[in-house]
Coordinates of all heavy atoms in Angstrom, one line a residue:
M790 N 15.0 -9.1 -3.6 CA 14.2 -9.6 -4.6 C 14.8 -10.8 -5.2 O 16.0 -10.8 -5.7 CB 13.9 -8.5 -5.6 CG 13.0 -9.0 -6.7 SD 12.3 -7.6 -7.7 CE 11.0 -7.1 -6.6
R791 N 14.1 -11.9 -5.3 CA 14.6 -13.1 -5.9 C 14.1 -13.2 -7.4 O 13.0 -13.0 -7.8 CB 14.1 -14.3 -5.2 CG 14.7 -14.4 -3.8 CD 14.4 -15.7 -3.1 NE 13.0 -15.9 -3.1 CZ 12.4 -17.2 -3.3 NH1 13.2 -18.2 -3.5 NH2 11.2 -17.4 -3.3
E792 N 15.1 -13.6 -8.3 CA 14.9 -13.7 -9.7 C 14.3 -15.1 -10.0 O 14.9 -16.1 -9.5 CB 16.2 -13.5 -10.5 CG 16.1 -13.7 -11.9 CD 15.3 -12.6 -12.6 OE1 15.3 -11.4 -12.1 OE2 14.8 -12.8 -13.7
M793 N 13.2 -15.2 -10.7 CA 12.6 -16.4 -11.1 C 13.1 -16.7 -12.5 O 13.1 -15.7 -13.3 CB 11.1 -16.3 -11.1 CG 10.5 -16.0 -9.7 SD 10.6 -17.4 -8.6 CE 12.0 -17.0 -7.6
T794 N 13.4 -17.9 -12.8 CA 14.0 -18.2 -14.2 C 13.0 -18.9 -15.1 O 13.2 -19.0 -16.3 CB 15.2 -19.0 -14.1 OG1 14.9 -20.2 -13.3 CG2 16.4 -18.3 -13.4
D795 N 11.8 -19.3 -14.6 CA 10.8 -19.9 -15.4 C 9.4 -19.7 -14.7 O 9.4 -19.6 -13.5 CB 11.1 -21.3 -15.7 CG 11.1 -22.2 -14.5 OD1 10.0 -22.4 -13.9 OD2 12.2 -22.7 -14.2
P796 N 8.3 -19.8 -15.5 CA 7.0 -19.6 -15.0 C 6.6 -20.7 -14.0 O 5.8 -20.4 -13.0 CB 6.1 -19.7 -16.2 CG 7.0 -19.7 -17.4 CD 8.4 -20.0 -17.0
E797 N 7.1 -21.9 -14.1 CA 6.7 -22.9 -13.1 C 7.3 -22.6 -11.7 O 6.6 -22.8 -10.7 CB 7.3 -24.3 -13.6 CG 6.5 -24.9 -14.8 CD 7.0 -24.3 -16.1 OE1 8.2 -23.8 -16.2 OE2 6.3 -24.2 -17.1
M798 N 8.5 -22.1 -11.7 CA 9.1 -21.7 -10.5 C 8.3 -20.5 -9.8 O 8.1 -20.5 -8.7 CB 10.6 -21.2 -10.7 CG 11.4 -20.8 -9.6 SD 12.9 -20.2 -10.3 CE 14.0 -20.7 -9.0
L799 N 7.9 -19.6 -10.7 CA 7.1 -18.5 -10.2 C 5.8 -19.0 -9.6 O 5.4 -18.5 -8.5 CB 6.9 -17.5 -11.3 CG 6.0 -16.3 -11.0 CD1 6.7 -15.4 -10.0 CD2 5.7 -15.5 -12.3
T800 N 5.1 -19.8 -10.3 CA 3.9 -20.3 -9.8 C 4.0 -21.1 -8.5 O 3.1 -20.8 -7.6 CB 3.2 -21.3 -10.9 OG1 3.1 -20.7 -12.1 CG2 1.9 -21.9 -10.4
K801 N 5.0 -21.8 -8.3 CA 5.3 -22.5 -7.0 C 5.4 -21.4 -5.9 O 4.9 -21.6 -4.8 CB 6.5 -23.3 -7.0 CG 6.3 -24.6 -7.7 CD 7.6 -25.5 -7.8 CE 7.4 -26.6 -8.7 NZ 8.7 -27.4 -8.7
E802 N 6.2 -20.4 -6.1 CA 6.4 -19.3 -5.2 C 5.1 -18.5 -4.9 O 4.9 -18.1 -3.7 CB 7.6 -18.4 -5.6 CG 8.9 -19.0 -5.6 CD 9.4 -19.5 -4.2 OE1 9.1 -18.8 -3.2 OE2 9.9 -20.6 -4.1
M803 N 4.3 -18.3 -5.9 CA 3.1 -17.6 -5.7 C 2.2 -18.4 -4.7 O 1.5 -17.7 -3.9 CB 2.4 -17.4 -7.0 CG 3.0 -16.4 -7.9 SD 2.3 -16.4 -9.6 CE 0.6 -16.1 -9.4
K804 N 2.2 -19.7 -4.8 CA 1.3 -20.5 -3.9 C 1.9 -20.7 -2.5 O 1.2 -20.9 -1.6 CB 1.1 -21.8 -4.6 CG 0.3 -21.8 -5.8 CD 0.1 -23.1 -6.5 CE -0.7 -23.0 -7.8 NZ -0.8 -24.2 -8.5
K805 N 3.2 -20.5 -2.4 CA 4.0 -20.8 -1.2 C 3.8 -19.6 -0.2 O 3.8 -19.9 1.0 CB 5.4 -21.0 -1.5 CG 6.3 -21.4 -0.4 CD 7.7 -21.7 -1.0 CE 8.8 -21.6 0.0 NZ 10.1 -21.9 -0.6
H806 N 3.6 -18.4 -0.7 CA 3.6 -17.2 0.2 C 2.2 -16.6 0.1 O 1.5 -16.5 -0.9 CB 4.7 -16.2 -0.2 CG 6.0 -16.8 -0.3 ND1 6.8 -17.0 0.9 CD2 6.8 -17.3 -1.3 CE1 7.9 -17.5 0.6 NE2 8.0 -17.7 -0.7
K807 N 1.8 -16.0 1.3 CA 0.5 -15.4 1.4 C 0.4 -14.1 0.5 O -0.5 -13.9 -0.2 CB 0.2 -15.0 2.8 CG -1.2 -14.3 2.9 CD -1.7 -14.3 4.3 CE -3.0 -13.6 4.5 NZ -4.1 -14.1 3.7
L808 N 1.5 -13.2 0.6 CA 1.5 -12.0 -0.2 C 2.8 -12.0 -1.0 O 3.9 -12.2 -0.5 CB 1.6 -10.8 0.8 CG 0.3 -10.5 1.6 CD1 0.6 -9.4 2.6 CD2 -0.8 -10.1 0.7
V809 N 2.6 -11.7 -2.3 CA 3.8 -11.7 -3.2 C 3.7 -10.5 -4.1 O 2.6 -10.1 -4.6 CB 3.8 -12.9 -4.1 CG1 5.0 -12.9 -5.1 CG2 3.8 -14.2 -3.3
L810 N 4.8 -9.8 -4.3 CA 4.9 -8.7 -5.3 C 5.8 -9.1 -6.4 O 7.0 -9.6 -6.0 CB 5.5 -7.4 -4.6 CG 5.9 -6.3 -5.5 CD1 4.7 -5.7 -6.1 CD2 6.6 -5.2 -4.7
I811 N 5.4 -9.2 -7.6 CA 6.2 -9.7 -8.7 C 6.5 -8.5 -9.6 O 5.6 -7.8 -10.0 CB 5.4 -10.8 -9.5 CG1 5.1 -11.9 -8.6 CG2 6.3 -11.3 -10.7 CD1 4.1 -12.9 -9.2
K812 N 7.7 -8.3 -9.9 CA 8.1 -7.3 -10.9 C 8.5 -8.0 -12.3 O 9.3 -8.9 -12.3 CB 9.4 -6.6 -10.5 CG 9.8 -5.5 -11.5 CD 11.1 -4.9 -11.2 CE 12.2 -5.8 -11.6 NZ 13.5 -5.3 -11.6
F813 N 7.7 -7.7 -13.3 CA 8.0 -8.2 -14.6 C 8.9 -7.1 -15.3 O 8.5 -5.9 -15.3 CB 6.8 -8.4 -15.5 CG 5.9 -9.5 -14.9 CD1 4.9 -9.3 -14.0 CD2 6.1 -10.8 -15.4 CE1 4.1 -10.3 -13.5 CE2 5.3 -11.9 -14.9 CZ 4.3 -11.6 -13.9
Y814 N 9.9 -7.5 -15.9 CA 10.8 -6.5 -16.5 C 11.5 -7.0 -17.8 O 11.4 -8.2 -18.2 CB 11.9 -6.1 -15.5 CG 12.9 -7.2 -15.3 CD1 14.2 -7.1 -16.0 CD2 12.7 -8.3 -14.4 CE1 15.1 -8.1 -15.8 CE2 13.7 -9.3 -14.3 CZ 14.8 -9.2 -15.0 OH 15.8 -10.2 -14.8
A815 N 12.1 -6.0 -18.5 CA 12.9 -6.3 -19.7 C 14.2 -5.7 -19.5 O 14.4 -4.6 -18.9 CB 12.2 -5.7 -20.9
T816 N 15.3 -6.4 -20.0 CA 16.6 -5.9 -19.8 C 16.9 -4.6 -20.5 O 17.7 -3.8 -20.0 CB 17.7 -6.9 -20.2 OG1 17.4 -7.3 -21.6 CG2 17.6 -8.2 -19.4
W817 N 16.1 -4.3 -21.6 CA 16.3 -3.1 -22.3 C 15.6 -1.9 -21.8 O 15.7 -0.8 -22.2 CB 15.9 -3.3 -23.8 CG 14.6 -3.9 -23.9 CD1 14.3 -5.2 -24.1 CD2 13.3 -3.3 -23.8 NE1 12.9 -5.5 -24.1 CE2 12.3 -4.3 -23.9 CE3 12.8 -2.0 -23.6 CZ2 10.9 -4.1 -23.9 CZ3 11.5 -1.7 -23.5 CH2 10.6 -2.8 -23.7
C818 N 14.8 -2.1 -20.7 CA 13.9 -1.1 -20.1 C 14.6 -0.3 -19.1 O 14.9 -0.8 -18.0 CB 12.7 -1.8 -19.6 SG 11.6 -0.8 -18.7
V819 N 14.8 1.0 -19.3 CA 15.5 1.9 -18.4 C 14.6 2.1 -17.1 O 15.1 2.1 -16.0 CB 15.8 3.3 -19.0 CG1 16.3 4.2 -18.1 CG2 16.7 3.1 -20.2
H820 N 13.3 2.2 -17.3 CA 12.4 2.4 -16.2 C 12.4 1.2 -15.3 O 12.2 1.3 -14.1 CB 11.0 2.8 -16.6 CG 10.9 4.1 -17.3 ND1 11.2 5.3 -16.7 CD2 10.6 4.4 -18.6 CE1 11.1 6.3 -17.5 NE2 10.7 5.7 -18.7
C821 N 12.7 0.0 -15.8 CA 12.7 -1.2 -15.0 C 13.9 -1.2 -14.0 O 13.7 -1.6 -12.9 CB 12.9 -2.4 -15.9 SG 11.4 -2.7 -17.0
T822 N 15.0 -0.6 -14.5 CA 16.2 -0.5 -13.6 C 15.8 0.5 -12.5 O 16.2 0.2 -11.3 CB 17.4 0.0 -14.4 OG1 17.6 -1.0 -15.5 CG2 18.6 0.1 -13.6
E823 N 15.2 1.6 -12.9 CA 14.9 2.6 -11.8 C 13.8 2.0 -10.9 O 13.9 2.3 -9.7 CB 14.3 3.9 -12.5 CG 15.3 4.6 -13.4 CD 14.7 5.6 -14.3 OE1 13.5 5.7 -14.4 OE2 15.5 6.3 -15.0
Q824 N 12.9 1.2 -11.4 CA 11.9 0.6 -10.5 C 12.6 -0.4 -9.5 O 12.2 -0.4 -8.3 CB 10.8 -0.1 -11.3 CG 9.7 -0.7 -10.5 CD 8.8 0.4 -9.9 OE1 8.1 1.0 -10.7 NE2 8.9 0.7 -8.7
Q825 N 13.6 -1.1 -10.0 CA 14.3 -2.0 -9.1 C 15.0 -1.3 -8.0 O 15.0 -1.7 -6.9 CB 15.4 -2.8 -9.9 CG 16.1 -3.8 -9.1 CD 15.1 -4.9 -8.5 OE1 14.3 -5.4 -9.2 NE2 15.2 -5.1 -7.2
E826 N 15.6 -0.1 -8.3 CA 16.2 0.7 -7.2 C 15.2 1.1 -6.1 O 15.6 1.0 -4.9 CB 16.8 2.0 -7.8 CG 18.0 1.7 -8.7 CD 18.5 2.9 -9.5 OE1 18.0 4.1 -9.3 OE2 19.4 2.8 -10.3
I827 N 14.0 1.4 -6.5 CA 12.9 1.8 -5.5 C 12.6 0.5 -4.7 O 12.5 0.6 -3.5 CB 11.7 2.3 -6.2 CG1 12.0 3.7 -6.8 CG2 10.5 2.4 -5.3 CD1 11.0 4.3 -7.8
L828 N 12.4 -0.6 -5.4 CA 12.1 -1.8 -4.7 C 13.2 -2.3 -3.7 O 13.0 -2.8 -2.6 CB 11.8 -3.0 -5.7 CG 10.5 -2.7 -6.5 CD1 10.4 -3.7 -7.6 CD2 9.3 -2.8 -5.6
D829 N 14.5 -2.1 -4.1 CA 15.6 -2.4 -3.3 C 15.5 -1.6 -2.0 O 15.8 -2.1 -0.9 CB 16.9 -2.2 -4.0 CG 17.2 -3.2 -5.0 OD1 16.5 -4.3 -5.1 OD2 18.1 -3.0 -5.9
Q830 N 15.2 -0.3 -2.1 CA 15.1 0.6 -1.0 C 14.0 0.2 -0.1 O 14.0 0.4 1.2 CB 14.9 2.1 -1.4 CG 16.2 2.6 -2.1 CD 15.9 4.0 -2.7 OE1 14.8 4.5 -2.7 NE2 16.9 4.6 -3.3
M831 N 12.9 -0.4 -0.7 CA 11.7 -0.8 0.1 C 11.8 -2.1 0.7 O 11.0 -2.5 1.6 CB 10.5 -0.8 -0.8 CG 10.1 0.5 -1.4 SD 8.7 0.3 -2.5 CE 7.4 -0.3 -1.4
A832 N 12.9 -2.9 0.3 CA 13.0 -4.3 0.8 C 12.7 -4.5 2.3 O 12.0 -5.4 2.7 CB 14.3 -4.8 0.3
P833 N 13.4 -3.8 3.2 CA 13.1 -4.0 4.6 C 11.7 -3.8 5.0 O 11.1 -4.6 5.8 CB 14.0 -3.0 5.3 CG 15.0 -2.6 4.3 CD 14.4 -2.7 3.0
E834 N 11.0 -2.8 4.5 CA 9.6 -2.5 4.8 C 8.7 -3.6 4.2 O 7.8 -4.1 4.9 CB 9.2 -1.2 4.2 CG 7.8 -0.8 4.6 CD 7.4 0.6 4.0 OE1 8.1 1.2 3.3 OE2 6.3 1.1 4.5
L835 N 9.0 -4.1 3.0 CA 8.2 -5.2 2.4 C 8.3 -6.5 3.2 O 7.3 -7.1 3.5 CB 8.6 -5.4 1.0 CG 8.3 -4.3 0.0 CD1 9.0 -4.5 -1.3 CD2 6.8 -4.1 -0.2
L836 N 9.5 -6.7 3.7 CA 9.7 -7.9 4.6 C 9.0 -7.8 5.9 O 8.4 -8.8 6.4 CB 11.3 -8.1 4.9 CG 12.1 -8.7 3.7 CD1 13.6 -8.7 4.1 CD2 11.6 -10.1 3.5
R837 N 9.0 -6.5 6.4 CA 8.2 -6.4 7.7 C 6.7 -6.7 7.5 O 6.1 -7.2 8.4 CB 8.4 -4.9 8.2 CG 9.2 -4.7 9.4 CD 9.1 -3.3 10.0 NE 9.0 -2.2 9.1 CZ 10.0 -1.5 8.4 NH1 11.2 -2.0 8.6 NH2 9.7 -0.5 7.7
Y838 N 6.2 -6.4 6.3 CA 4.8 -6.7 6.1 C 4.6 -8.2 5.6 O 3.5 -8.6 5.3 CB 4.2 -5.8 5.0 CG 3.9 -4.4 5.6 CD1 4.8 -3.3 5.3 CD2 2.8 -4.2 6.4 CE1 4.6 -2.1 5.8 CE2 2.6 -2.9 6.9 CZ 3.4 -1.9 6.6 OH 3.2 -0.6 7.1
G839 N 5.7 -9.0 5.5 CA 5.6 -10.4 5.1 C 5.4 -10.5 3.6 O 4.8 -11.5 3.2
I840 N 5.8 -9.5 2.8 CA 5.6 -9.5 1.3 C 6.8 -10.2 0.7 O 7.9 -9.6 0.8 CB 5.3 -8.1 0.8 CG1 4.1 -7.6 1.5 CG2 5.1 -8.2 -0.7 CD1 3.8 -6.1 1.1
E841 N 6.6 -11.2 0.0 CA 7.7 -11.9 -0.7 C 7.9 -11.1 -2.1 O 6.9 -10.8 -2.7 CB 7.4 -13.3 -1.0 CG 8.4 -14.1 -1.8 CD 9.7 -14.3 -1.0 OE1 9.7 -14.3 0.2 OE2 10.7 -14.6 -1.6
T842 N 9.1 -10.8 -2.4 CA 9.3 -10.1 -3.7 C 10.1 -10.9 -4.7 O 11.1 -11.5 -4.4 CB 10.1 -8.7 -3.5 OG1 11.3 -9.0 -2.8 CG2 9.3 -7.8 -2.6
L843 N 9.5 -11.0 -5.9 CA 10.1 -11.8 -6.9 C 10.2 -11.0 -8.2 O 9.4 -10.0 -8.4 CB 9.2 -13.1 -7.2 CG 8.8 -13.9 -6.0 CD1 7.8 -14.9 -6.4 CD2 10.0 -14.5 -5.4
S844 N 11.1 -11.4 -9.1 CA 11.2 -10.7 -10.4 C 11.3 -11.8 -11.5 O 11.7 -12.9 -11.3 CB 12.3 -9.7 -10.5 OG 13.5 -10.5 -10.4
L845 N 10.8 -11.4 -12.7 CA 10.8 -12.3 -13.8 C 11.0 -11.5 -15.1 O 10.3 -10.6 -15.4 CB 9.4 -13.0 -13.9 CG 9.2 -14.2 -14.9 CD1 10.2 -15.3 -14.5 CD2 7.9 -14.7 -15.0
E846 N 12.0 -11.9 -15.8 CA 12.3 -11.2 -17.1 C 11.4 -11.6 -18.2 O 10.9 -12.8 -18.2 CB 13.8 -11.6 -17.5 CG 14.3 -10.8 -18.7 CD 15.7 -11.1 -19.0 OE1 16.4 -11.8 -18.3 OE2 16.1 -10.7 -20.1
E847 N 11.1 -10.7 -19.1 CA 10.1 -11.0 -20.1 C 10.3 -12.2 -20.9 O 9.4 -13.0 -21.2 CB 10.1 -9.8 -21.1 CG 11.4 -9.6 -21.9 CD 11.3 -8.7 -23.0 OE1 10.2 -8.5 -23.6 OE2 12.3 -8.1 -23.3
K848 N 11.6 -12.6 -21.2 CA 11.9 -13.8 -22.0 C 11.6 -15.1 -21.2 O 11.4 -16.1 -21.8 CB 13.3 -13.8 -22.5 CG 14.3 -14.0 -21.3 CD 15.8 -14.0 -21.9 CE 16.7 -14.3 -20.7 NZ 18.1 -14.3 -21.3
N849 N 11.4 -15.0 -19.9 CA 11.2 -16.2 -19.1 C 9.7 -16.2 -18.5 O 9.4 -17.1 -17.8 CB 12.1 -16.2 -17.8 CG 13.5 -16.3 -18.3 OD1 13.9 -17.0 -19.3 ND2 14.4 -15.7 -17.5
A850 N 8.9 -15.3 -18.9 CA 7.6 -15.1 -18.3 C 6.6 -16.2 -18.7 O 5.6 -16.4 -18.0 CB 7.0 -13.7 -18.6
G851 N 6.7 -16.8 -19.9 CA 5.7 -17.8 -20.3 C 4.3 -17.3 -20.4 O 4.0 -16.1 -20.7
K852 N 3.3 -18.2 -20.0 CA 1.9 -17.9 -20.1 C 1.5 -16.7 -19.2 O 0.7 -15.8 -19.6 CB 1.1 -19.1 -19.8 CG -0.4 -18.9 -20.0 CD -1.1 -20.2 -20.0 CE -2.5 -20.1 -20.2 NZ -3.0 -19.8 -21.6
I853 N 2.1 -16.7 -18.0 CA 1.8 -15.6 -17.1 C 2.1 -14.2 -17.7 O 1.5 -13.2 -17.4 CB 2.3 -15.8 -15.7 CG1 1.6 -14.9 -14.7 CG2 3.8 -15.6 -15.6 CD1 1.8 -15.3 -13.3
G854 N 3.1 -14.2 -18.5 CA 3.6 -13.0 -19.1 C 2.7 -12.4 -20.2 O 2.8 -11.3 -20.5
E855 N 1.7 -13.2 -20.6 CA 0.8 -12.8 -21.6 C -0.1 -11.7 -21.1 O -0.7 -10.9 -21.8 CB -0.1 -13.9 -22.1 CG 0.7 -15.0 -22.9 CD -0.1 -16.2 -23.2 OE1 -1.3 -16.3 -22.9 OE2 0.5 -17.2 -23.8
Q856 N -0.2 -11.6 -19.8 CA -1.0 -10.5 -19.1 C -0.3 -9.2 -19.1 O -0.9 -8.2 -18.8 CB -1.4 -10.9 -17.7 CG -2.1 -12.2 -17.5 CD -2.3 -12.7 -16.1 OE1 -2.7 -11.8 -15.3 NE2 -2.1 -13.9 -15.8
V857 N 1.0 -9.2 -19.3 CA 1.8 -8.0 -19.2 C 1.8 -7.2 -20.5 O 2.0 -7.7 -21.6 CB 3.3 -8.4 -18.9 CG1 4.2 -7.2 -18.9 CG2 3.4 -9.1 -17.6
S858 N 1.4 -5.9 -20.4 CA 1.3 -5.1 -21.6 C 2.4 -4.0 -21.7 O 2.5 -3.4 -22.8 CB -0.1 -4.4 -21.6 OG -0.2 -3.5 -20.5
G859 N 3.3 -3.9 -20.7 CA 4.4 -3.0 -20.8 C 5.2 -3.2 -19.6 O 5.0 -4.0 -18.7
Y860 N 6.4 -2.5 -19.6 CA 7.4 -2.7 -18.5 C 7.8 -1.4 -17.9 O 7.8 -0.4 -18.6 CB 8.6 -3.4 -19.1 CG 8.3 -4.7 -19.6 CD1 8.1 -4.9 -21.0 CD2 8.2 -5.8 -18.8 CE1 7.8 -6.2 -21.5 CE2 7.8 -7.1 -19.3 CZ 7.7 -7.2 -20.7 OH 7.3 -8.4 -21.2
P861 N 8.1 -1.4 -16.6 CA 7.9 -2.5 -15.7 C 6.5 -2.7 -15.3 O 5.6 -1.8 -15.4 CB 8.7 -2.0 -14.4 CG 8.6 -0.5 -14.5 CD 8.6 -0.2 -16.0
T862 N 6.1 -3.9 -15.0 CA 4.8 -4.3 -14.5 C 4.9 -4.8 -13.1 O 5.8 -5.7 -12.9 CB 4.1 -5.3 -15.4 OG1 3.8 -4.6 -16.7 CG2 2.8 -5.8 -14.8
L863 N 4.1 -4.4 -12.2 CA 4.1 -4.9 -10.8 C 2.8 -5.7 -10.6 O 1.7 -5.1 -10.9 CB 4.2 -3.9 -9.8 CG 5.5 -3.1 -9.8 CD1 5.5 -2.0 -8.8 CD2 6.7 -4.0 -9.6
M864 N 2.8 -6.9 -10.1 CA 1.6 -7.7 -9.9 C 1.6 -8.1 -8.4 O 2.6 -8.5 -7.8 CB 1.7 -9.0 -10.7 CG 0.5 -9.9 -10.4 SD 0.6 -11.5 -11.2 CE 0.3 -11.1 -12.9
I865 N 0.5 -7.9 -7.7 CA 0.2 -8.3 -6.4 C -0.5 -9.6 -6.4 O -1.5 -9.7 -7.0 CB -0.6 -7.2 -5.6 CG1 0.1 -5.9 -5.7 CG2 -0.9 -7.7 -4.2 CD1 1.4 -5.8 -4.9
V866 N 0.0 -10.6 -5.7 CA -0.6 -11.9 -5.6 C -1.0 -12.1 -4.1 O -0.1 -12.0 -3.2 CB 0.4 -13.0 -6.1 CG1 -0.3 -14.3 -5.9 CG2 0.8 -12.7 -7.6
V867 N -2.2 -12.5 -3.8 CA -2.7 -12.8 -2.5 C -3.2 -14.3 -2.5 O -4.0 -14.6 -3.3 CB -3.8 -11.9 -2.1 CG1 -4.2 -12.2 -0.6 CG2 -3.3 -10.4 -2.1
D868 N -2.6 -15.1 -1.6 CA -3.1 -16.5 -1.5 C -3.0 -17.2 -2.8 O -3.9 -18.0 -3.2 CB -4.5 -16.6 -0.9 CG -4.5 -16.1 0.6 OD1 -3.5 -16.3 1.3 OD2 -5.5 -15.6 0.9
G869 N -1.9 -16.9 -3.6 CA -1.7 -17.7 -4.8 C -2.5 -17.1 -6.1 O -2.3 -17.7 -7.1
K870 N -3.3 -16.1 -5.8 CA -4.1 -15.5 -6.9 C -3.8 -14.0 -7.3 O -3.7 -13.3 -6.3 CB -5.6 -15.6 -6.6 CG -6.0 -17.1 -6.5 CD -7.5 -17.1 -6.2 CE -8.0 -18.5 -6.3 NZ -8.3 -19.4 -5.5
P871 N -3.5 -13.7 -8.5 CA -3.2 -12.3 -8.9 C -4.4 -11.4 -8.5 O -5.6 -11.8 -8.8 CB -3.1 -12.4 -10.4 CG -2.7 -13.8 -10.7 CD -3.4 -14.6 -9.7
R872 N -4.1 -10.4 -7.8 CA -5.2 -9.4 -7.3 C -5.2 -8.1 -8.0 O -6.2 -7.5 -8.2 CB -5.0 -9.2 -5.8 CG -5.3 -10.3 -5.0 CD -6.7 -10.9 -5.1 NE -6.8 -12.1 -4.5 CZ -7.9 -12.5 -3.9 NH1 -8.9 -11.8 -3.8 NH2 -7.9 -13.8 -3.4
S873 N -3.9 -7.6 -8.4 CA -3.9 -6.3 -9.1 C -2.6 -6.3 -9.9 O -1.6 -7.0 -9.6 CB -3.9 -5.1 -8.1 OG -2.8 -5.1 -7.4
M874 N -2.6 -5.5 -11.0 CA -1.4 -5.3 -11.8 C -1.3 -3.9 -12.3 O -2.4 -3.3 -12.6 CB -1.6 -6.3 -13.0 CG -0.3 -6.3 -13.9 SD -0.6 -7.3 -15.4 CE -0.7 -8.9 -14.6
T875 N -0.1 -3.3 -12.2 CA 0.0 -1.9 -12.7 C 1.2 -1.9 -13.6 O 2.2 -2.7 -13.4 CB 0.3 -1.0 -11.5 OG1 1.5 -1.4 -10.8 CG2 -0.9 -0.9 -10.6
V876 N 1.1 -1.1 -14.6 CA 2.2 -1.0 -15.6 C 2.8 0.5 -15.5 O 2.1 1.5 -15.3 CB 1.6 -1.1 -17.0 CG1 2.7 -0.9 -18.1 CG2 0.9 -2.4 -17.2
G877 N 4.1 0.5 -15.5 CA 4.9 1.8 -15.4 C 5.5 2.0 -14.1 O 5.3 1.2 -13.1
M878 N 6.4 3.0 -14.1 CA 7.1 3.3 -12.8 C 6.2 3.7 -11.7 O 5.2 4.4 -11.9 CB 8.0 4.6 -13.1 CG 9.3 4.2 -13.7 SD 10.4 3.5 -12.7 CE 10.6 4.7 -11.4
K879 N 6.4 3.1 -10.5 CA 5.7 3.5 -9.3 C 6.6 3.9 -8.2 O 7.7 3.3 -8.0 CB 4.9 2.2 -8.8 CG 3.9 1.7 -9.9 CD 2.8 2.6 -10.2 CE 1.9 2.1 -11.3 NZ 1.6 3.0 -12.3
S880 N 6.2 4.9 -7.5 CA 6.9 5.4 -6.3 C 6.6 4.4 -5.1 O 5.8 3.5 -5.2 CB 6.5 6.7 -5.9 OG 5.2 6.7 -5.3
A881 N 7.5 4.5 -4.1 CA 7.3 3.6 -2.9 C 5.9 3.8 -2.3 O 5.2 2.8 -2.0 CB 8.4 3.9 -1.9
A882 N 5.4 5.0 -2.2 CA 4.1 5.3 -1.7 C 3.0 4.7 -2.6 O 2.0 4.1 -2.0 CB 3.9 6.8 -1.7
Q883 N 3.2 4.7 -3.9 CA 2.2 4.1 -4.8 C 2.2 2.6 -4.6 O 1.1 2.0 -4.7 CB 2.5 4.5 -6.2 CG 2.2 5.9 -6.6 CD 2.7 6.3 -7.9 OE1 3.8 6.0 -8.3 NE2 1.8 7.0 -8.7
I884 N 3.3 2.0 -4.4 CA 3.4 0.5 -4.3 C 2.8 0.1 -3.0 O 2.1 -0.9 -2.9 CB 4.9 0.1 -4.3 CG1 5.4 0.3 -5.7 CG2 5.0 -1.4 -3.9 CD1 6.9 0.1 -5.9
M885 N 3.0 0.9 -1.9 CA 2.4 0.5 -0.7 C 0.9 0.8 -0.5 O 0.3 0.3 0.5 CB 3.2 1.2 0.5 CG 4.6 0.8 0.6 SD 4.8 -1.0 0.8 CE 4.1 -1.4 2.4
K886 N 0.3 1.4 -1.5 CA -1.2 1.7 -1.3 C -2.0 0.5 -1.3 O -2.2 -0.3 -1.9 CB -1.6 2.6 -2.5 CG -1.9 4.0 -2.1 CD -2.4 4.8 -3.3 CE -2.8 6.1 -2.9 NZ -3.2 6.9 -4.0

């Protein structure tokens, strides 16, 4: 998972890849750390499906972060456009649905 440091960088990556999974997180969020462990375990499978994985900390989220209502939040982006967003811990099976 690659860390994005600003919203402009994130926007470029969203447009560059067909499928993107973005994790929005906060450093104080325990569940965010647990979610990262699940995503790390899933990394090979996500790559097999051609899914680019990115993360963005709350303090760097800018305008796109205004859509986030809690942490962790996972956003699926298809062809540069957000398609779905979920808040809270998700299992590997829930993420792959």
Side-chain angles (χ1 to χ4, degrees):
M790 180 165 280
R791 291 187 311 140
E792 179 71 26
M793 301 288 100
T794 56
D795 63 66
E797 292 80 26
M798 180 185 214
L799 177 67
T800 300
K801 284 180 188 175
E802 290 298 317
M803 286 169 57
K804 292 177 181 176
K805 185 174 160 182
H806 303 281
K807 180 163 180 56
L808 294 170
V809 181
L810 172 66
I811 304 168
K812 179 189 79 165
F813 294 91
Y814 71 98
T816 55
W817 48 263
C818 172
V819 174
H820 294 299
C821 294
T822 303
E823 295 168 354
Q824 187 70 75
Q825 185 60 50
E826 291 171 8
I827 291 169
L828 291 169
D829 288 344
Q830 292 170 359
M831 294 178 65
E834 185 175 9
L835 293 170
L836 282 174
R837 247 191 327 276
Y838 285 104
I840 301 171
E841 180 69 21
T842 56
L843 309 172
S844 65
L845 188 66
E846 187 178 349
E847 65 169 331
K848 69 179 183 180
N849 298 325
K852 188 168 179 71
I853 196 165
E855 292 173 5
Q856 301 173 46
V857 175
S858 62
Y860 299 99
T862 292
L863 298 177
M864 177 187 284
I865 302 293
V866 177
V867 179
D868 294 326
K870 296 181 172 111
R872 296 295 170 144
S873 69
M874 184 182 299
T875 61
V876 179
M878 280 285 300
K879 302 295 178 224
S880 68
Q883 289 171 314
I884 292 169
M885 292 309 290
K886 247 182 178 179

